[in-house]
Amino acid sequence: MKKIKKNDEVIVITGKDKGKKSKVLSVLPEKGKLFVEKVNVVKKHTKPGQGTPGGIIDKEKQIDVSNVMLICNYCKKPVKVTFEIVNDKKYRKCKSCGELIDKK
Ligand SMILES: [Zn+2]
């Protein structure tokens, strides 16, 4: 089980987007990378072609999982996550307030 999942709210803790809060678009668990909305955006030039005018588009590039922290649903702070098993189900647990993050 991963500490950070798709649709989690995270805060960037390092790099050019430091301090930015955003939503996880997708996770690449085997690489330890993720895509976060509007974070690490690069401009991509596209050529005019069939049905497309071309131009510059914004595209997110993957960042390292260690560059973000999860924002807890309960205490609304950037927190560290541990795991806890309750009734044979594994939950992520907020180290700050002790709530089970996925139990909502
Ligand atoms: Zn919390």
Side-chain angles (χ1 to χ4, degrees), residues 72 75 94 97:
C72 173
C75 60
C94 169
C97 68

Side-chain angles (χ1 to χ4, degrees), residues 23-67:
K23 197 179 82 176
V24 176
L25 296 172
S26 61
V27 182
L28 307 167
E30 67 285 354
K31 286 185 179 172
K33 306 271 187 186
L34 42 75
F35 291 92
V36 183
E37 197 172 48
K38 303 264 189 289
V39 169
N40 203 21
V41 169
V42 289
K43 303 278 184 199
K44 267 199 132 172
H45 295 264
T46 57
K47 287 194 175 119
Q50 287 99 349
T52 58
I56 300 168
I57 56 162
D58 289 343
K59 207 174 179 330
E60 285 93 358
K61 275 181 82 180
Q62 65 193 30
I63 59 170
D64 206 274
V65 171
S66 65
N67 289 5

Side-chain angles (χ1 to χ4, degrees), residues 1-5 8 69-86 89-104:
M1 191 183 201
K2 293 292 154 195
K3 290 189 174 179
I4 294 183
K5 299 200 272 190
D8 278 345
M69 275 183 94
L70 182 70
I71 295 177
C72 173
N73 286 337
Y74 294 90
C75 60
K76 306 287 176 197
K77 288 190 287 198
V79 296
K80 289 205 167 119
V81 175
T82 55
F83 297 108
E84 187 162 302
I85 294 165
V86 181
K89 260 198 93 183
K90 200 170 180 184
Y91 294 96
R92 292 181 297 171
K93 183 180 181 177
C94 169
K95 264 193 179 177
S96 179
C97 68
E99 292 287 349
L100 299 176
I101 289 163
D102 299 305
K103 220 180 173 181
K104 259 194 172 168

